[in-house]
Amino acid sequence: MALQLSFSSHSCLHANVIAGCNGSKPSSSKFVMALTLPSSKARGVENRIRWKQMTPEKLELFKSLEGWAEENVLTFLKPVEESWQPQDLLPDAASPDEEFLARITEIRERAAGIPDEYYVCLVGNMITEEALPTYQTVFNTFDGIADESGMSPSPWARWTRSWSAEENRHGDLLNKYLYLSGRLDMRQIEKTIQYLIAAGMNIGTDNNPYCGLIYTSFQERATFISHGNTARHAKGHGDLALAKICGLIAADEKRHEFAYTKVVEKLFEVDPDTTMLALADMMRRKIAMPAAFMFDGLDRELFPHYSAVAQNVGIYTTKDYADNVEFFVKRWDVGNITSGLSSKGREAQEYVCGLADRFRKMDERKKKKNNSSTIVPFSWIFNRKIVV
Ligand SMILES: [Fe+2]
Ligand SMILES: [Fe+2]
């Protein structure tokens, strides 16, 4: 059943992200920059769509695409036997003691030279990956492509299960490697993961698969960029093993991005109007980050703080977001769709095509305004302090 998504549910998310889970007022403004959403008026949220339950015709459309998905989407999955596993990148605990301990010593020696800021970004990425149960749950709220039984043979459901199985290796690998580094308060990190999965998330897609598939396209590309940047930084700090780990994960994310992007491309082909409206709707609300409700039991503003560090270090920035909007508008050839659009669809098209520039200008204005240097402790690194 579809929910009636209203602006209030999103503004609630926005308020919580900015103010912290308990609604407390943030003490500084700079850390808000990395993910602050513009005002509802500026975002055009007052115009946003209240998606209704999918009609039988729309459900039939997704059913009719099953053969296409079988041949064009499932092919992006890698067979288990050809996939890397976390153990391929980690010390083998079954090896002789000296060998095992020597590998761990190497990891710890390499880790010693890496700055705290980088570790905070890496931990944030790892925690985001570890909240995987939430993403699979949310995916299965999308009408027409949900896994109805938990073991449905439909290609959509098989994709979701196999995609989750691929994703599951990301959190596993990062978690184990970071544990071995000896640099982190793992108990605080584990608490953050438990809080985050318990919190869940509402990306405001109203069970609408058009919105859901657009959201996942953006998220996969965002994680590709983020893991790619952590790989680059690891290399810069001399940890080639960590660079390889982040690079392998980034490559998976890229493959996932290709798959979701291809589905949305197909939706533009078979149902341009609804797809255009869904894209504009997701853009008006901005793509909410999946780990926005992270909490470690101490810092009510943990996500904005982490997000600000990621912005400062250059792991994932507001410019990346604007670039992604531009990338997808080009990838789906949004500006050149001429047939099958209603007047509202054409309005949506115009709005979406001008967005990347608007985001960039907004980013520039914020950069000029925000030059404070708040310092906050992160429990993940034993309360050592970082500028946000
Ligand atoms: Fe992932
Ligand atoms: Fe992914």
Side-chain angles (χ1 to χ4, degrees), residues 126 278 332:
M126 181 263 271
W332 293 322

Side-chain angles (χ1 to χ4, degrees), residues 7 50 120 201 218 224 299 317 344:
F7 173 43
R50 296 170 70 91
V120 165
M201 71 174 193
F218 271 84
F224 158 69
D299 184 359
T317 67
K344 281 207 176 304

